[in-house]
Amino acid sequence: MDEVERALASLLPRLRRFAHGLARNRADADDLTQAAAERVLKSRAQWQPGTNFDAWAYRILRNLWIDTARSRQRREAVLAPEEQGWSVGVDGNAEANVELGYLMRAMGTLPDEQREAVALVMIEGLAYADAAEVLDIPIGTLTSRLVRGRQALMTMLED
């Protein structure tokens, strides 16, 4: 196993969490994570040792998500609303599922820019500089998106 494979293996759970934050759907998050892992492995020659591998992999995943979101917007037919699948496979822990459902719905109402910032910093624990690098924005822009996203989440969750 080479350096890229080891780094990817240790990063996969965090990539999947970020994918779930973007996709808001477990199956889509798994597909997105798999596609990102494949892209990382195919593009391993483009990664420069000594640079931030995590930020590089997060950026690949985010770019794949943007491509996916754009293609979905072009599609006209929707088989079923996402909400109809929320209760499929529920494990019976009703209180935790209700709280997680509230949080996921609240995250889902945030604009994409705020949801990405919140997911990278608050859920994935990336440093502001690393999250700004992944999103290709200045740190000040990231900070303002985080502030607005956190405020919106707190307001929604208090209601």
Side-chain angles (χ1 to χ4, degrees):
M1 194 183 296
D2 69 8
E3 184 178 359
V4 169
E5 290 171 350
R6 277 191 296 279
L8 178 60
S10 68
L11 184 62
L12 274 176
R14 293 175 53 210
L15 280 175
R16 188 183 179 286
R17 275 195 313 262
F18 181 51
H20 193 274
L22 295 175
R24 294 173 261 158
N25 174 297
R26 193 175 300 244
D28 289 345
D30 289 342
D31 292 345
L32 183 58
T33 304
Q34 180 177 346
E38 289 173 7
R39 179 84 48 97
V40 164
L41 293 173
K42 287 180 183 175
S43 304
R44 72 177 72 202
Q46 295 175 4
W47 178 65
Q48 300 296 320
T51 61
N52 189 335
F53 178 84
D54 291 5
W56 180 68
Y58 277 117
R59 180 173 286 175
I60 287 172
L61 187 137
R62 180 177 177 260
N63 288 341
L64 285 168
W65 172 248
I66 290 169
D67 292 346
T68 301
R70 286 179 182 156
S71 70
R72 283 186 180 172
Q73 288 176 349
R74 289 189 288 265
R75 269 191 252 136
E76 294 179 0
V78 175
L79 299 177
E82 178 182 357
E83 295 80 11
Q84 290 181 359
W86 284 355
S87 62
V88 174
V90 173
D91 67 359
N93 188 348
E95 185 175 320
N97 288 330
V98 167
E99 289 178 15
L100 181 59
Y102 287 145
L103 178 61
M104 293 312 295
R105 280 192 294 280
M107 283 283 289
T109 63
L110 294 177
D112 290 343
E113 296 84 14
Q114 291 175 15
R115 190 175 66 252
E116 291 172 346
V118 168
L120 284 172
V121 174
M122 294 178 67
I123 297 173
E124 292 306 318
L126 262 64
Y128 282 27
D130 292 339
E133 182 182 338
V134 168
L135 298 174
D136 196 25
I137 57 174
I139 290 178
T141 303
L142 175 77
T143 303
S144 81
R145 289 178 183 179
L146 275 170
V147 168
R148 288 192 311 271
R150 285 178 181 149
Q151 288 172 343
L153 283 174
M154 287 190 303
T155 300
M156 285 182 264
L157 294 175
E158 287 173 357
D159 291 344

